[in-house]
Amino acid sequence: MTGFNLALNDDQIAVRDWLHGFARDVIRPAAAEWDEREETPWPILQEASKVGIYSLDFFAQQQFDPTGLGIPIAMEELFWGDAGIGLAIVGSALAAAGVVANGTPEQVGTWAPEMFGTPGDVKLAAFCSSEPDAGSDVAAMRTRAVWDEAAGEWVINGTKTWATNGGIANVHVVVASVDPELGARGQASFIIPPGTPGLSQGQKFKKHGIRASHTAEVVLDNVRIPGDCLLGGKDALDNRLARARERAAAVARGERVEQVKNAAMATFEASRPAVGAQAIGLARAAYEESLEYAKTREQFGRPIIDNQGIAFTIADMRTRIDAARLLVWRASWMAANGQPFTAAEGSMSKLYAGETAKWVTSQAIQIFGGNGFTREYPVERMHRDSAIYTIFEGTSEIQRLVIARTLSGMPIR
């Protein structure tokens, strides 16, 4: 086990500085344009692919950092550049995480490279879990996968929503119910290969923030996929469903049983500290803009940071950002070193970092005053972008529920 250490090693420092340079020189100058266009920033993705950032190898190298800090360092720097473009760059990694969390080594080797493509042929991937009536309530999922034994195929029907890269992706990873009676425990993840008939893009959402990231519905109408597109394989699924049925029967008898994780939650659990790191990058950007503005903006003949009301807010901004980073790094280190989240440390990190980003960007608007309310200054965009971090991949309320359930062992609702 790698010891927890706040001092970055030489390789981590080099990656951090490289990413910071890319964020400063490539992402930031393009941020306002792609926010206004509300389109996938293909030129930025291509540039990121050329230099090796948008690639399976890059994300895999960071994921396999034994300290666990590779991914959070990368996320913080990219999202310091811009949250919308940052999400366009890392969105495919969530789908890849779904394959890694639930798939066989053969499936990972086959499909993960297809999610990024090459510098000359950039591709995207989408992870599709949420539905119009099943967001936080994962057990309410209606998308259904039925096994056609004669054809050796799965048949999937349903509608997914809030899918990053949904409909424009080369590869879609779809979570569907195979046994509705088991609720969330009766779900599995499936690969939808490129060009599969029956999959189409539904509504593309016009969003409040992160507008450079494509978000849309995905419609699945009698989508047929080969049996080997079930992540983990059918034998593993059958065994898991059998255990889930035994658990349901035991619960009905009043017995205490071990919880069984479902496919969507396995993906989100792995990604929550990374999402927290994204929020930290965004918050840090707003803090740095606010500090510089407060030192140069004069009112009543002196810089506004000379006023305690401003200075104390700046101090609180930095303190909360650093505290959030510590929670994210702790959770990331624990995950990399096989330490169980006995106090829901992953949810803690995402909760606090998301709330911090929202608070810091709100205070940034206040420090900038009327200027902060205009699109002439980046804190306006950062404030809009921050709102998503208390909503997606588990709302702040859901994170608190997970934490409270973990601490108490009680089925809090």
Side-chain angles (χ1 to χ4, degrees):
M1 183 173 68
T2 303
F4 184 68
N5 191 337
L6 294 176
L8 301 183
N9 60 43
D10 290 343
D11 289 341
Q12 291 167 333
I13 291 172
V15 170
R16 181 199 64 190
D17 293 348
W18 171 51
L19 292 173
H20 186 79
F22 185 85
R24 179 193 63 231
D25 299 336
V26 180
I27 294 177
R28 278 209 169 177
E33 173 189 352
W34 291 99
D35 176 72
E36 291 288 346
R37 292 176 63 166
E38 298 190 54
E39 297 174 359
T40 300
W42 288 103
I44 310 300
L45 289 175
Q46 289 165 350
E47 188 64 27
S49 182
K50 288 177 184 177
V51 300
I53 294 173
Y54 186 77
S55 71
L56 176 61
D57 286 346
F58 172 75
F59 287 108
Q61 287 173 10
Q62 306 319 308
Q63 184 64 44
F64 293 137
D65 181 338
T67 70
L69 301 186
I71 289 292
I73 290 170
M75 294 292 181
E76 180 174 339
E77 295 306 325
L78 291 173
F79 283 72
W80 173 89
D82 178 67
I85 293 177
L87 196 56
I89 292 174
V90 308
S92 296
L94 177 61
V99 174
V100 171
N102 299 294
T104 65
E106 292 76 17
Q107 289 171 326
V108 173
T110 297
W111 293 110
E114 291 293 318
M115 296 179 168
F116 296 91
T118 65
D121 184 19
V122 172
K123 296 178 180 178
L124 300 173
F127 182 75
C128 307
S129 177
S130 294
E131 296 183 6
D133 296 317
S136 297
D137 185 8
V138 177
M141 188 176 295
R142 294 182 180 179
T143 297
R144 185 75 191 276
V146 177
W147 175 241
D148 183 345
E149 187 168 358
E153 295 176 331
W154 288 94
V155 184
I156 305 178
N157 284 280
T159 299
K160 294 297 182 178
T161 194
W162 311 123
T164 298
N165 299 331
I168 65 172
N170 186 61
V171 178
H172 291 75
V173 177
V174 173
V175 182
S177 175
V178 295
D179 188 338
E181 292 184 1
L182 293 175
R185 308 305 172 190
Q187 296 167 3
S189 292
F190 299 85
I191 290 285
I192 312 297
T196 299
L199 184 146
S200 62
Q201 178 183 308
Q203 176 187 5
K204 178 187 175 183
F205 296 104
K206 296 181 70 67
K207 304 190 299 295
H208 176 66
I210 55 168
R211 302 197 305 190
S213 173
H214 175 97
T215 309
E217 289 182 332
V218 173
V219 179
L220 302 117
D221 183 12
N222 285 323
V223 170
R224 285 184 168 269
I225 55 173
D228 59 7
C229 285
L230 164 66
L231 289 177
K234 195 167 186 305
D235 288 344
L237 173 64
D238 289 342
N239 290 334
R240 180 164 59 80
L241 293 178
R243 293 196 303 271
R245 293 185 187 106
E246 291 173 1
R247 174 187 177 278
V251 170
R253 294 191 298 268
E255 301 174 9
R256 290 183 63 87
V257 296
E258 183 180 355
Q259 293 290 323
V260 180
K261 296 176 183 175
N262 79 318
M265 290 302 100
T267 300
F268 290 140
E269 185 174 298
S271 66
R272 278 173 179 159
V275 174
Q278 296 173 11
I280 292 167
L282 172 58
R284 194 183 103 210
Y287 152 75
E288 291 176 0
E289 293 285 344
S290 299
L291 176 60
E292 183 62 26
Y293 186 82
K295 289 163 62 178
T296 57
R297 171 69 168 173
E298 291 191 359
Q299 291 287 279
F300 305 105
R302 61 181 183 176
I304 61 174
I305 200 170
D306 279 358
N307 299 293
Q308 284 188 358
I310 300 295
F312 287 3
T313 299
I314 294 288
D316 285 342
M317 283 178 163
R318 177 60 184 267
T319 300
R320 293 195 188 192
I321 291 168
D322 282 11
R325 185 183 295 108
L326 287 172
L327 285 172
V328 166
W329 283 18
R330 179 185 68 168
S332 301
W333 173 83
M334 290 176 69
N337 287 276
Q339 301 298 302
F341 287 166
T342 56
E345 288 87 350
S347 289
M348 283 185 183
S349 69
K350 196 270 182 181
L351 168 65
Y352 193 75
E355 294 287 345
T356 293
K358 197 168 183 180
W359 182 84
V360 167
T361 56
S362 176
Q363 295 306 305
I365 294 284
Q366 199 69 21
I367 288 171
F368 274 74
N371 287 332
F373 203 64
T374 72
R375 295 191 182 180
E376 298 300 314
Y377 290 83
V379 293
E380 182 272 341
R381 184 180 68 254
M382 294 170 184
H383 184 240
R384 286 188 286 107
D385 289 345
S386 72
I388 197 63
Y389 286 97
T390 61
I391 298 174
F392 76 170
E393 296 209 38
T395 64
S396 288
E397 291 75 17
I398 289 296
Q399 305 304 331
R400 291 185 175 100
L401 185 63
V402 171
I403 295 165
R405 284 176 174 174
T406 304
L407 295 176
S408 68
M410 302 296 291
I412 300 168
R413 300 184 65 84

